[in-house]
Amino acid sequence: VLNGILLIYLTGVVPFFLYLSVVVNLVLIWYSISCLLRIDDLESDLISLLKKNEHFLDRLENIHSLMTLCCL
């Protein structure tokens, strides 16, 4: 903040807006990277959950087939 005020005082408004633009762009780049990493973690968790669900359904079908053989 103090650098921005000093920049306005010494050079004018245009370099201040350039400085402000660079700072905002760096913050947005950091935020985008953190969101992409979070999405990657969510994707791996979702894939794991779907595999566990598929395994559960296979076991459930196996149990159901055993019960139908038993009752026949």
Side-chain angles (χ1 to χ4, degrees):
V1 174
L2 292 176
N3 287 340
I5 295 170
L6 183 62
L7 193 62
I8 287 176
Y9 181 73
L10 292 177
T11 60
V13 178
V14 174
F16 169 73
F17 285 127
L18 179 63
Y19 167 76
L20 189 63
S21 173
V22 168
V23 170
V24 169
N25 282 325
L26 288 175
V27 169
L28 288 175
I29 289 171
W30 169 79
Y31 182 71
S32 298
I33 290 172
S34 69
C35 284
L36 287 174
L37 292 175
R38 200 174 310 150
I39 287 173
D40 187 43
D41 289 343
L42 288 174
E43 181 184 8
S44 64
D45 289 344
L46 185 61
I47 288 172
S48 172
L49 184 64
L50 288 173
K51 285 181 182 180
K52 287 179 183 180
N53 188 26
E54 184 177 331
H55 180 68
F56 172 73
L57 288 176
D58 289 340
R59 290 186 60 136
L60 194 61
E61 287 177 2
N62 188 15
I63 291 172
H64 179 59
S65 68
L66 290 174
M67 290 185 73
T68 55
L69 290 176
C70 174
C71 295
L72 289 177

